[in-house]
């Protein structure tokens, strides 16, 4: 891990959840920060599905070096928060948001009261961010490749292969084994069955129903999710990567539709614009992009606005917040 001169830590922390679990994470304290410091913001990193928090450590150290305290953690069932036995272990996207991210916000409220809280959310971490009851406390959000994994949004050139891998093989193995053996296959972390069900079944049913004005029950359930996410009013920067077969333009716009009451800025980055042959769904957080991509996120977290350099770097458009508190469109 790359070290910075003003790095302190990271220090391991344990975060209790309201339903009796304990999440394990790390606290990255900036050198000028203390437990009573009020003007140093806290950044929480919400990981992608089945990606351990350690994947984001270099990025966390970067934010720490630039004046922020950072909290990294693993959702229940993943990484340091994994139980000894995954078969039968209860976990899912909704649980990660409603219970785990909520527990993180409650921990910060108790241990770092009065501090501004920002979020960097990767992939499904963007959805997870809006599900917590205390999401209204979040000041700013930077989403990277954030989407719902809905198969119709996969890049057309890769859709068949991706559907077979993520929508057929993964749920089949999870059903047969009681969990998804991702580490053994080299496909991310081992993953609880409930997470796989949310990814490959629940959200697919909800989005398919919405797309065809489907069963009233499913539409009502989807509306409830939008209503929950609508509690978050923090401005969102959504960074999409042009060669990301998951994070297509339509995929990111679909997720942004769950946050109707906040200003949403959608930025598209082409690999060649930063001198790379490819970036894909995961490589944004590789430290080779410390001087090209990471400043996009840093600038937003520092100001909540697109800087001139950011506007020149990538095509973007602003999705305004709704003017009236109505969810009839959903």
């Amino acid at each position: 891990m790359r070290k910075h001169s003003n790095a302190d830590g990271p220090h391991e922390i344990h975060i209790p959840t309201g339903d009796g679990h304990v999440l394990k994470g790390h606290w990255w304290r900036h050198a000028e920060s203390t437990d009573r410091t009020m003007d140093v913001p806290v950044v929480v990193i919400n990981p992608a599905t089945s990606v351990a928090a350690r994947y984001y450590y270099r990025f966390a150290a970067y934010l720490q070096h630039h004046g922020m305290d950072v909290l990294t953690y693993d959702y229940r069932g993943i990484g340091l928060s994994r139980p000894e036995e995954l078969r039968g272990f209860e976990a899912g996207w909704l649980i990660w948001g409603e219970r785990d991210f909520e527990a993180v916000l409650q921990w910060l409220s108790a241990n770092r009261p009065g501090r501004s809280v920002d979020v960097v959310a990767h992939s499904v971490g963007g959805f997870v961010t809006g599900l917590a009851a205390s999401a209204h406390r979040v000041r700013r959000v930077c989403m990277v490749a954030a989407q719902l994994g809905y198969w119709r949004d996969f890049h057309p050139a890769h859709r068949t292969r991706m559907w077979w891998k993520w929508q057929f093989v993964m749920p089949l193995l999870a059903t047969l084994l009681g969990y998804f053996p991702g580490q053994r296959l080299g496909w991310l972390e081992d993953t609880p069955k409930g997470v796989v069900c949310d990814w490959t079944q629940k959200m697919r049913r909800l989005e398919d129903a919405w797309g065809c004005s489907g069963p009233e029950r499913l539409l009502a359930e989807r509306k409830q999710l939008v209503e929950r996410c609508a509690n978050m009013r923090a401005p969102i920067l959504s960074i999409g990567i042009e060669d990301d077969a998951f994070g297509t333009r339509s995929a990111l716009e679909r997720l942004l539709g769950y946050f109707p009451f906040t200003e949403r800025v959608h930025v598209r980055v082409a690999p060649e614009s930063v001198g790379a042959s490819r970036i894909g769904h995961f490589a944004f957080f590789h430290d080779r992009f410390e001087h090209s991509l990471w400043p996009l996120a840093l600038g937003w977290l520092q100001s909540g606005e697109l800087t001139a350099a950011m506007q020149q770097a990538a095509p973007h458009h602003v999705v305004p917040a709704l003017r009236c508190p109505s969810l009839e469109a959903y």
Side-chain angles (χ1 to χ4, degrees):
M1 184 184 304
R2 183 173 299 183
K3 297 292 184 180
H4 294 289
S5 59
N6 60 350
D8 179 18
H11 306 289
E12 184 173 313
I13 57 175
H14 291 180
I15 303 171
T17 69
D19 60 343
H21 289 271
V22 176
L23 308 176
K24 294 184 179 180
H26 287 87
W27 180 254
W28 306 68
R29 187 172 67 184
H30 182 67
E32 297 178 1
S33 170
T34 69
D35 292 350
R36 297 177 179 268
T37 302
M38 297 298 292
D39 59 351
V40 174
V42 176
V43 179
V44 178
I45 299 181
N46 279 344
T49 299
S50 306
V51 176
R54 63 180 178 272
Y55 185 75
Y56 306 96
Y57 283 177
R58 290 182 176 87
F59 183 71
Y62 168 83
L63 296 180
Q64 177 192 40
H65 176 68
H66 284 85
M68 302 171 184
D69 287 349
V70 184
L71 191 156
T72 59
Y73 73 105
D74 284 304
Y75 306 127
R76 69 182 67 191
I78 303 296
L80 297 176
S81 300
R82 171 185 172 155
E84 290 186 8
E85 179 59 64
L86 275 182
R87 293 177 182 86
F89 182 76
E90 184 186 22
W93 281 0
L94 302 189
I95 290 175
W96 285 353
E98 294 172 352
R99 305 180 197 178
D100 292 1
F101 181 50
E102 175 65 18
V104 169
L105 293 176
Q106 292 293 340
W107 187 91
L108 287 171
S109 181
N111 292 276
R112 305 294 186 271
R115 300 280 292 277
S116 297
V117 178
D118 300 329
V119 176
V120 173
H122 184 203
S123 195
V124 80
F127 185 47
V128 165
T129 299
L131 297 174
S134 300
H136 61 276
R137 291 191 57 232
V138 175
R139 182 183 63 163
R140 295 168 189 153
V141 180
C142 176
M143 297 183 180
V144 178
Q147 36 73 54
L148 298 168
Y150 178 53
W151 71 275
R152 292 184 187 274
D153 290 328
F154 295 164
H155 191 287
H158 307 284
R159 186 175 296 157
T160 299
R161 176 182 57 82
M162 293 176 66
W163 184 93
W164 178 260
K165 180 177 181 179
W166 300 111
Q167 302 291 315
F168 180 77
V169 175
M170 183 169 66
L172 176 63
L173 290 177
T175 299
L176 293 175
L177 301 177
Y179 75 103
F180 176 64
Q183 288 185 327
R184 199 179 316 167
L185 296 173
W187 299 3
L188 311 178
E189 296 286 305
D190 291 348
T191 305
K193 181 180 177 181
V195 175
V196 176
C197 290
D198 280 353
W199 183 352
T200 64
Q201 298 177 34
K202 183 178 182 65
M203 296 310 300
R204 182 179 66 192
R205 288 197 301 269
L206 291 178
E207 296 305 314
D208 281 342
W210 174 248
C212 62
S213 299
E216 186 174 337
R217 176 183 59 81
L218 293 180
L219 292 177
E221 189 172 351
R222 185 182 188 277
K223 181 179 178 180
Q224 289 176 357
L225 290 178
V226 177
E227 289 174 338
R228 197 172 304 162
C229 291
N231 290 325
M232 191 181 73
R233 306 300 176 92
I236 298 171
L237 173 65
S238 180
I239 301 175
I241 308 299
E242 291 290 10
D243 70 328
D244 178 5
F246 284 107
T248 60
R249 184 180 298 272
S250 61
L252 269 62
E253 296 286 352
R254 183 181 301 277
L255 178 59
L256 290 177
Y258 278 80
F259 301 94
F261 298 147
T262 182
E263 184 172 276
R264 297 149 290 174
V265 180
H266 185 176
V267 170
R268 304 296 299 178
V269 177
E272 57 269 22
S273 70
V274 293
S277 59
R278 62 170 299 152
I279 301 173
H281 190 61
F282 295 100
F284 180 96
F285 295 97
H286 289 187
D287 59 3
R288 67 177 179 272
F289 295 117
E290 176 177 347
H291 301 293
S292 54
L293 293 179
W294 291 4
L296 294 176
L298 178 65
W300 181 263
L301 295 173
Q302 289 175 329
S303 68
E305 299 178 352
L306 277 179
T307 65
M310 291 165 67
Q311 295 183 44
Q312 293 175 3
H316 69 278
H317 70 277
V318 177
V319 185
L322 296 181
R323 294 183 177 276
C324 59
S326 171
L327 287 167
E328 294 179 358
Y330 295 89

